Amino acid sequence: MSMSSVCLGVSGSVAAVKTPEIAAALLAAGADVDLVVTEAAYSLLQAQYRGEQPWAQLQALVASHPEPSPPEDAASRKRTRATGKRALRIYRDQDEWSGYSAVGRDAVLHVELAKRNQVLLIAPLCANLLAQTAVGLCGNLLSSVVRAWYYDLEVRAARRSHR
C-alpha cells in the first residue's frame, strides 16, 4: 500500500505502549506520520514496557525522522519525496492552541491535521474516545481531528487537486 501522510491517533488504552512499533511500521511503509496523543495515552506511554519506555522510543523516532526544511520549489519537493525520508511529528492537546493568536490568520491545528493527511488511523481506540466520537464530542485534539476529518473521499480528492 502506498501512502504519503497518516494521522495516527493514540487514545488511552493500555495498548498505547505499541505506538512506537506502529509509527515505525508506517514510516517504513513510506508515510509521513502526524502522531496525535491523548493525555491518557501520554500517561500510558510513560510506563515501562518490555524494559523500555514507549515515550522515549517515540522521541528517538522523531529524532531519526525530523521534519525536512521546506523546499523552495516543486523540483525540490519531488527530490525530497524521492529520497524516501519521512517525518514523524507528535502533537498533544496543549499544541492545539499554543501557537494561535489571531482569528482568521493562524491555522487551527485539528483542521490542518485533517486537511494534510490522507489516512486517519486510531490505534488503539479506547471506549472513551469511541463514545466521544459517536456523539460528536470534541474534548481533546484527537476527537477534534476525528470531527474535522473529510469522510467523503471524492471531496477529499477534489480538495487535494485544487492545491
Side-chain angles (χ1 to χ4, degrees), residues 67-89:
E67 181 73 31
S69 305
E72 296 93 37
D73 57 26
S76 296
R77 280 191 292 277
K78 283 183 183 176
R79 279 194 303 278
T80 299
R81 287 285 171 221
T83 64
K85 189 67 173 174
R86 299 301 182 201
L88 173 63
R89 297 165 292 270

Side-chain angles (χ1 to χ4, degrees), residues 125-137:
L125 173 62
C126 68
N128 188 44
L129 185 65
L130 177 62
Q132 286 177 8
T133 57
V135 295
L137 297 177

Side-chain angles (χ1 to χ4, degrees), residues 13 50 60 70 75 84 119-120 137:
S13 164
R50 295 185 177 169
V119 176
L120 174 60
L137 297 177

Side-chain angles (χ1 to χ4, degrees), residues 17 21 45-57:
V17 298
E21 294 172 49
L45 290 166
Q46 304 306 308
Q48 289 293 309
Y49 176 65
R50 295 185 177 169
E52 296 189 55
Q53 183 191 45
W55 185 254
Q57 291 175 303

Side-chain angles (χ1 to χ4, degrees), residues 10-22:
V10 183
S11 65
S13 164
V14 72
V17 298
K18 296 284 196 173
T19 302
E21 294 172 49
I22 297 168

